[in-house]
Amino acid sequence: MEIKNYDELTTLEIDTLREIGSIGTGNAASALSTMLDREIRITLPEVRIMGYNEAIDWIGGPEAITAGVLVHIGGQMSGVMLATQSLEFINLVLDSMLSEHIEDYSQLGEIELSALVEIGNIMISTFINALAGLADIKLELTVPSITVDMQGAILAVPMVAYGGQSDYLMTIGGNFVCDGKEVPCRLLLSPDIRSLNFLLRKLGVME
Amino acid sequence: MAGGTSAANGQKVTVGIADMKILQWDGELITYALGSCIGICLWDPNIKLGALIHIMLPINMEAGRKNTMKYADTGIKETINLLVGRGARKDRLVAKIAGGAKMFEVVGPSNLGNIGERNIESVKMNLRKEGIRIISENVGGSVARTLSFYPATGIGEIRAYGQPVITL
């Protein structure tokens, strides 16, 4: 049955999406691990269907600052994918790639930002490639873009993208653990509803 | 900062996304992290009655048109009705607006990139249609804004990351 809103997903469908999230973030973690030469694992991936204000609480409040890398997905699905990078995660990247350490987001210069875009882009592309392979579909990605600002406004981008279709935000994604320590960096995929129906049909869990 | 901007004896009321709250005489209305969304303050100075709306999108095309505060058109209209219901006079109402930023420089589906711009246009058009004057605005750009509004004074304050507080 086609769904009209994210909250109509069945348990089986959500489990399937969680599995996609697990494989996607797992692949992204391996890519990151190779690039940074560190042991990187993922936490249990989540599929979340949240009201807007609930989603903002879930990421830890609207005003906390984060770096966010955003890519639009096109081709056989449309959606938005975000990689949010906390200061701990940023330092992990900067330490490995540039032997640098920053105390505050304001110290991010052009070189640092381009390193973060690259890392975010590789993680997102790896996730999306895994998804496309599993579902046997063709997906295209836009050039990634980065911003450093309040996380509420960054998370609002996928909400706004599908706000005319739904009062909910659906995200598939997970967090990363480096050398046994959790480093907040979230990969969040938000497909539109048509694409979600298409994906679930392709995966054989929706009739 | 000018006096009267602190909510000394009033409460602080948070306006969520796609939400609206009204306060009279004192207190602070606050909405956080406006990106492409817009915060619209509507105020009747004579009776110190103020509303803050946090809209996400320009036009309500939903079947049934529920969730009015998600959209500029239905949000403005509904809020005016509620304010008038609480004693405001429409011809006394003034507006202050903030938000409508472009958070990411995205090369791609064009309608997503300039949603902030379309929100600004729609808010302005709908206020004009209702005959409500915008007395102050801080819109566009590329940074997120937290907006406070104090119905006692009609003063608004904008906080953005790494920038000094702006009076609206």
Side-chain angles (χ1 to χ4, degrees), chain A residues 52-53 56 62-63 65 68 70 72 104-106 142 145-150 152-154 157 159-161 163-164 166-167, chain B residues 16-17 32-33 35-36 56-57 62 67 70-71 103-109 112 115 142-146 159-161:
Chain A
Y52 301 138
N53 296 299
I56 300 289
E63 282 192 305
I65 302 301
L70 182 92
H72 286 278
D104 186 272
Y105 291 95
S106 63
T142 58
S145 163
I146 191 168
T147 198
V148 177
D149 213 319
M150 298 182 200
I154 291 174
V157 173
M159 295 179 191
V160 166
S166 172
D167 289 338
Chain B
I17 300 170
Y32 296 99
S36 61
M56 282 175 83
L57 292 163
E62 280 182 26
N67 211 342
K70 192 153 86 176
Y71 303 93
M103 295 304 297
F104 289 93
E105 276 307 322
V106 176
V107 189
L112 293 180
I115 185 75
S142 59
V143 298
R145 299 166 170 94
T146 286
R159 288 173 186 79
Y161 169 60

Side-chain angles (χ1 to χ4, degrees), chain B residues 6 15 20 32 39 49 51 54 56 61 64 69 75 78 91-92 95 105 112 119 126 130 132 138-139 149-150 162:
Chain B
S6 70
V15 180
M20 187 279 298
Y32 296 99
L49 183 68
H54 182 140
M56 282 175 83
M61 291 186 287
M69 299 303 166
E78 169 112 353
D91 59 3
R92 284 195 307 239
E105 276 307 322
L112 293 180
N119 278 337
N126 280 285
E130 299 290 347
I132 293 171
N138 185 286
V139 293
F149 186 68
Y150 304 92

Side-chain angles (χ1 to χ4, degrees), chain A residues 67-141:
Chain A
V69 177
L70 182 92
V71 167
H72 286 278
I73 301 160
Q76 288 182 287
M77 282 177 67
S78 24
V80 174
M81 190 140 189
L82 256 180
T84 60
Q85 305 168 335
S86 67
L87 201 57
E88 288 110 300
F89 179 85
I90 289 171
N91 274 322
L92 177 72
V93 171
L94 296 185
D95 180 43
S96 300
M97 292 177 76
L98 304 167
S99 302
E100 274 182 26
H101 183 90
I102 59 164
E103 300 296 327
D104 186 272
Y105 291 95
S106 63
Q107 291 171 274
L108 290 169
E110 221 168 286
I111 295 168
E112 290 80 13
L113 287 173
S114 59
L116 294 176
V117 175
E118 214 32 67
I119 291 287
N121 192 35
I122 289 165
M123 291 167 73
I124 291 171
S125 317
T126 312
F127 184 112
I128 293 298
N129 282 341
L131 167 67
L134 282 169
D136 190 26
I137 53 180
K138 285 208 164 38
L139 299 175
E140 291 151 17
L141 299 177

Side-chain angles (χ1 to χ4, degrees), chain A residues 44-70:
Chain A
L44 199 65
E46 289 181 297
V47 174
R48 291 205 154 240
I49 296 148
M50 297 167 281
Y52 301 138
N53 296 299
E54 186 189 347
I56 300 289
D57 288 342
W58 169 69
I59 54 165
E63 282 192 305
I65 302 301
T66 187
V69 177
L70 182 92

Side-chain angles (χ1 to χ4, degrees), chain B residues 107-118:
Chain B
V107 189
S110 57
N111 60 328
L112 293 180
N114 64 16
I115 185 75
E117 196 69 30
R118 289 196 289 136

